[in-house]
C-alpha cells in the first residue's frame, strides 16, 4: 500500500453545484443505533445487522397502492447499469455510480449538491465483473468511497472535496473495489474484487481520520499459518478469495462478519488440491485486530464460482428454548444456513432453490456432494448456474414477521474445464459456463423461516432477478425486476400490493427515509434514482 500525494489535485475534481446547507454528522453511536433511526438510511444495509429492515410504517399494506414518484435524478455515467444503495443522512442523499463517482442530492427535491468523480485511468482493469460501485459509507462528517482502481478515498460530506486518498492494492494485478465500505468505530473496512485474476484476497481496516492501515486479514493463509495446508504447493499465492461485498458488524461482540469469494482458478481445481480455506466461507473477525475468531466454509474446493460474498444477516432468536445470536445467509450454492454467530456452529439449513450437486446438508452443515458434478471438457450440467441461486443482491429480514427474504435465481449451466496458467493481471479462470437462459430460467422472492430455511411463500419473477430487497414495519417487502417493475409485497403472504414500471433494469436495492414528516421510498433503476411517496 502506498499513500498518494494526489489529494490536492483530486480535490479540484469535485464539482460543487452549490454548497449544501446541511452536513451529515454520523457518529459511530448513531451508526450503532441505526435500527432506531428510521428517518435516515445511514449504512449500506440500513444497519450493522444487515437486516435491511425499516421501522417506518407510514407506507403500509392499506395505502401502498397510492405510492407515486415525487422526483427522479439521472446519474451521469450511463455506460453500465448502476447497482448502488443510496445513503440518507440529515437531508442529504449520497449515491454512487459506475466508474466510482458519487453525488450528493437534496432528499426533498433531488437537486444536486455536489458531485465527485475520481480520475480513473483508461488502463484500469476489472476482470470478471463490471466497474460498478454499490455504495459509500458515512462516518462523522466524511463520505468514504472505494474505487474501481483500488483506492479508498475520504470526502468532505459538505462539499465532496478530498480529505485523503489511499491506494490499497495494485490494480495492474486485478485488484479493484466494487463494494460500499463499512464504517465502524474509528475504522473504515473494505474488501477487494478480483477473484478471476488470481489475486490473494483480504479484508482491510483503515484509520478513518488518516487513512493509515490498521489491520489486514488475508482470506488465504500464508505459508506456516493454519489453513495453508488446504492448498497444494504455491497455489495459495494466486488462490483468489475476494471479499467484494460489505460485511455485517455486531458492536456488542465487537465482531465483523464478512463473506469470502471463490478460489482461483475458478473452474479447474487441479492445481489447488484441498478445501482451499477460507474461500467460499463466512469469516468472523475481531474488529480491533482483524484476528480470526471462527469460520464456516459453505463450498470446500469450489469449482463452480459459488462465492460466499452474500450479505450476512444478524438475528437474535430462541433455539430449543435458549436465546442465541445467529447469523443467517442464503448462499450462492443454493443452500440456506443459520449459524451461531458467537461460535460459528451450524443451527439449521436446507436448499432454497434448485440444485443438483448435493444430496443435502449433514448435521454439521456440510453439503454432501454428488460425484460427477465437476466441470469437464465437454460440459457438465449443474444447477445453480455460476451466477448462483442468489448473488450480491441483498436479502432482508423482518423482526415483525420473523421471515428471511431472498431473491432466488433458478438457472442451470454447463460448466467447462480448461487449462489455466497464471499471468499477472490477466484472467485466471480455467474454464467457463454456458448458461441455460431459456424459458425455464426464472426466479422468485422467497420468504424463509429463519431457523430452518423452510419456504413460507414465494412471489415469482419472469427471469432470474438481480435486485435487492427491503422489509418495513408497514408489513411490506419492496424489490424490483429485470423487466423494470418496482413493487411491494405483503410481507406475511407475498401478495402483490403495488408496482411501478420504471422503464429500466433494476439491479439495486431499495431504501426508505423520512423528510418533512413524509415517508419516502427510493430505488436506483438502470441509471436513475427514483423516489416515491404517498400523495
Amino acid at each position: 500500500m502506498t499513500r498518494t500525494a494526489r489529494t490536492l489535485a483530486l480535490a479540484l475534481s469535485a464539482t460543487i453545484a452549490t454548497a449544501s446547507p446541511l452536513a451529515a454528522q454520523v457518529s459511530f453511536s448513531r451508526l450503532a443505533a441505526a435500527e432506531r433511526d428510521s428517518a435516515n438510511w445511514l449504512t449500506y444495509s440500513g444497519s450493522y445487522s444487515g437486516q435491511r429492515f425499516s421501522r417506518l410504517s407510514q407506507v403500509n399494506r392499506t395505502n401502498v397502492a397510492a405510492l407515486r414518484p415525487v422526483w427522479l435524478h439521472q446519474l451521469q455515467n450511463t455506460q453500465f447499469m448502476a447497482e448502488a444503495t443510496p445513503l440518507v443522512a440529515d437531508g442529504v442523499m449520497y449515491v454512487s455510480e459506475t466508474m466510482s463517482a458519487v453525488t450528493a442530492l437534496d432528499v426533498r427535491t433531488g437537486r444536486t449538491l455536489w458531485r465527485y468523480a475520481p480520475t480513473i485511468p483508461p488502463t484500469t482493469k476489472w476482470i470478471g465483473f463490471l466497474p460498478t460501485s454499490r455504495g459509500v459509507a458515512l462516518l462523522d462528517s466524511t463520505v468514504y468511497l472505494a474505487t474501481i482502481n483500488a483506492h479508498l478515498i475520504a470526502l468532505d460530506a459538505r462539499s465532496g472535496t478530498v480529505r485523503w486518498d489511499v491506494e490499497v492494492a495494485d490494480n495492474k494485478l486485478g485488484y479493484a473495489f466494487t463494494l460500499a465500505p463499512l464504517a465502524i468505530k474509528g475504522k473504515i473496512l473494505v474488501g477487494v474484487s478480483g477473484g478471476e485474476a488470481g489475486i490473494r484476497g483480504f479484508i482491510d481496516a483503515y484509520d478513518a481520520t488518516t487513512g493509515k492501515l490498521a489491520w489486514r486479514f488475508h482470506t488465504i493463509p500464508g505459508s506456516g499459518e493454519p489453513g495453508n495446508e488446504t492448498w497444494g504447493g504455491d497455489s495459495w499465492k494466486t488462490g483468489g478469495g475476494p471479499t467484494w461485498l460489505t460485511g455485517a458488524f455486531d458492536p456488542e461482540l465487537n465482531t465483523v462478519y464478512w463473506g469470502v469469494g471463490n478460489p482461483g482458478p475458478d473452474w479447474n481445481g487441479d492445481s489447488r488440491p484441498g478445501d482451499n480455506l477460507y474461500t467460499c466461507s463466512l469469516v468472523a473477525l475481531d474488529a480491533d485486530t482483524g484476528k480470526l475468531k471462527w469460520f464456516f466454509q459453505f463450498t470446500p474446493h469450489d469449482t463452480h464460482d459459488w462465492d460466499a460474498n452474500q450479505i450476512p444477516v444478524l438475528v437474535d432468536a430462541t433455539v430449543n428454548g435458549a436465546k442465541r445470536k445467529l447469523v443467517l445467509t442464503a448462499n450462492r450454492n443454493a443452500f440456506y444456513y443459520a449459524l451461531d454467530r458467537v461460535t460459528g456452529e451450524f443451527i439449521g439449513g436446507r436448499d432454497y432453490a434448485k440444485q443438483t450437486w448435493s444430496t443435502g446438508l449433514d448435521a454439521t452443515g456440510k453439503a454432501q456432494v454428488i460425484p460427477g458434478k465437476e466441470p469437464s471438457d465437454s460440459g457438465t450440467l449443474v444447477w445453480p448456474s455460476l451466477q448462483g441461486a442468489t448473488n450480491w443482491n441483498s436479502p432482508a429480514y423482518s423482526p415483525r414477521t420473523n421471515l428471511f427474504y431472498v431473491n432466488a435465481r433458478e438457472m442451470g449451466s454447463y460448466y467447462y474445464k480448461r487449462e489455466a496458467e497464471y499471468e499477472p493481471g490477466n484472467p485466471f479462470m480455467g474454464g467457463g459456463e454456458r448458461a441455460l437462459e431459456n424459458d425455464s430460467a426464472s426466479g422468485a422472492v422467497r420468504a424463509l423461516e429463519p431457523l430452518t430455511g423452510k419456504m413460507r411463500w414465494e412471489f415469482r419473477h419472469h427471469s432470474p432477478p438481480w435486485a435487492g430487497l427491503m422489509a418495513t414495519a408497514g408489513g411490506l417487502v419492496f424489490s424490483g425486476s429485470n423487466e423494470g417493475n418496482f413493487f411491494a409485497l405483503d410481507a406475511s403472504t407475498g401478495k402483490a400490493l403495488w408496482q411501478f414500471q420504471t422503464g429500466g433494469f433494476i439491479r439495486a436495492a431499495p431504501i426508505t427515509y423520512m423528510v418533512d414528516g413524509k415517508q419516502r421510498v427510493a430505488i436506483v433503476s438502470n441509471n436513475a434514482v427514483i423516489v416515491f411517496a404517498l400523495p
Side-chain angles (χ1 to χ4, degrees):
M1 181 196 77
T2 60
R3 182 79 183 271
T4 72
R6 303 188 306 141
T7 300
L8 179 60
L10 286 172
L12 298 177
S13 67
T15 303
I16 305 173
T18 180
S20 168
L22 303 167
Q25 291 292 336
V26 183
S27 65
F28 169 68
S29 61
R30 274 189 80 181
L31 290 172
E35 287 172 340
R36 297 191 293 275
D37 186 1
S38 297
N40 298 288
W41 193 274
L42 299 177
T43 189
Y44 180 69
S45 296
S47 69
Y48 284 143
S49 70
Q51 293 183 6
R52 280 190 180 264
F53 174 79
S54 171
R55 297 186 182 189
L56 296 182
S57 60
Q58 189 179 88
V59 179
N60 54 56
R61 293 185 184 95
T62 66
N63 59 20
V64 67
L67 209 58
R68 60 193 61 181
V70 292
W71 61 258
L72 181 151
H73 174 83
Q74 182 64 54
L75 301 172
Q76 293 189 24
N77 289 332
T78 58
Q79 184 178 2
F80 306 97
M81 283 184 285
E83 300 178 346
T85 292
L87 301 189
V88 170
D90 305 333
V92 181
M93 175 183 288
Y94 304 89
V95 58
S96 62
E97 56 189 277
T98 60
M99 303 306 290
S100 309
V102 57
T103 302
L105 304 170
D106 185 319
V107 297
R108 290 176 176 81
T109 64
R111 178 174 63 95
T112 299
L113 303 174
W114 55 257
R115 183 174 187 271
Y116 170 76
T119 300
I120 303 296
T123 55
T124 298
K125 295 178 181 288
W126 53 86
I127 299 172
F129 51 90
L130 299 176
T132 192
S133 171
R134 298 193 173 92
V136 296
L138 294 170
L139 184 62
D140 297 321
S141 60
T142 305
V143 178
Y144 297 91
L145 172 69
T147 69
I148 191 65
N149 59 338
H151 284 237
L152 178 61
I153 301 175
L155 304 171
D156 184 291
R158 179 185 291 271
S159 64
T161 54
V162 176
R163 289 180 168 171
W164 53 256
D165 177 346
V166 169
E167 183 181 25
V168 172
D170 189 352
N171 175 259
K172 294 184 179 63
L173 299 178
Y175 290 93
F177 285 133
T178 55
L179 84 173
L182 179 67
I184 61 173
K185 188 175 184 179
K187 296 184 179 66
I188 307 302
L189 275 59
V190 289
V192 289
S193 301
E196 279 66 58
I199 66 162
R200 183 187 177 203
F202 57 81
I203 301 163
D204 273 1
Y206 290 86
D207 183 287
T209 303
T210 66
K212 181 180 178 182
L213 181 65
W215 54 256
R216 170 170 290 185
F217 173 79
H218 277 291
T219 57
I220 301 177
S223 180
E225 295 176 333
N228 182 264
E229 72 281 0
T230 66
W231 295 83
D234 288 337
S235 62
W236 62 273
K237 294 180 178 178
T238 56
T243 49
W244 51 275
L245 274 182
T246 311
F249 176 54
D250 185 331
E252 183 179 331
L253 297 176
N254 198 37
T255 302
V256 173
Y257 303 88
W258 212 286
V260 182
N262 62 280
D266 303 45
W267 298 287
N268 186 338
D270 293 350
S271 64
R272 47 176 177 84
D275 285 351
N276 305 148
L277 293 175
Y278 299 101
T279 63
C280 299
S281 298
L282 180 70
V283 294
L285 307 178
D286 183 287
D288 291 336
T289 64
K291 183 179 179 181
L292 180 67
K293 290 187 173 183
W294 57 260
F295 72 93
F296 187 96
Q297 189 175 40
F298 304 99
T299 314
H301 191 73
D302 171 51
T303 54
H304 297 89
D305 194 14
W306 291 334
D307 301 65
N309 294 94
Q310 293 70 47
I311 303 294
V313 177
L314 312 185
V315 171
D316 294 344
T318 300
V319 181
N320 297 325
K323 294 285 187 182
R324 302 284 290 269
K325 294 180 179 294
L326 306 182
V327 53
L328 314 178
T329 184
N331 193 269
R332 190 160 157 172
N333 70 7
F335 282 93
Y336 170 88
Y337 301 81
L339 308 175
D340 185 304
R341 71 173 182 270
V342 178
T343 65
E345 176 191 357
F346 175 70
I347 301 298
R350 61 193 300 166
D351 47 2
Y352 66 93
K354 181 177 180 178
Q355 60 81 23
T356 60
W357 66 280
S358 171
T359 57
L361 304 178
D362 69 12
T364 68
K366 184 176 182 179
Q368 304 303 292
V369 178
I370 299 172
K373 299 299 183 181
E374 293 288 305
S376 62
D377 292 342
S378 58
T380 305
L381 180 59
V382 176
W383 274 261
S385 73
L386 81 83
Q387 293 160 342
T390 190
N391 202 289
W392 56 265
N393 35 330
S394 294
Y397 169 81
S398 170
R400 304 296 174 90
T401 61
N402 191 31
L403 290 173
F404 178 97
Y405 306 98
V406 60
N407 252 327
R409 301 170 51 83
E410 299 281 8
M411 188 164 70
S413 284
Y414 286 94
Y415 288 87
Y416 295 92
K417 180 181 179 180
R418 299 289 185 263
E419 295 298 320
E421 183 174 349
Y422 177 72
E423 296 179 6
N426 286 312
F428 184 54
M429 301 181 185
E433 70 142 7
R434 177 168 61 86
L436 297 180
E437 294 180 292
N438 51 31
D439 289 345
S440 65
S442 64
V445 179
R446 291 191 173 132
L448 309 180
E449 296 179 358
L451 298 187
T452 65
K454 180 181 178 182
M455 188 174 74
R456 188 76 65 81
W457 58 256
E458 70 172 358
F459 174 80
R460 301 290 295 180
H461 287 287
H462 293 295
S463 57
W466 286 102
L469 293 149
M470 176 183 67
T472 75
L476 301 171
V477 172
F478 288 89
S479 190
S481 72
N482 301 348
E483 293 75 25
N485 288 316
F486 183 44
F487 58 82
L489 307 176
D490 186 309
S492 297
T493 67
K495 180 182 178 182
L497 299 176
W498 169 83
Q499 70 165 349
F500 180 88
Q501 174 52 240
T502 66
F505 197 125
I506 298 178
R507 293 175 64 96
I511 66 163
T512 188
Y513 61 94
M514 291 282 281
V515 58
D516 299 330
K518 293 276 192 177
Q519 183 181 354
R520 294 188 174 183
V521 179
I523 186 70
V524 176
S525 173
N526 198 349
N527 285 289
V529 183
I530 309 175
V531 175
F532 300 83
L534 295 173

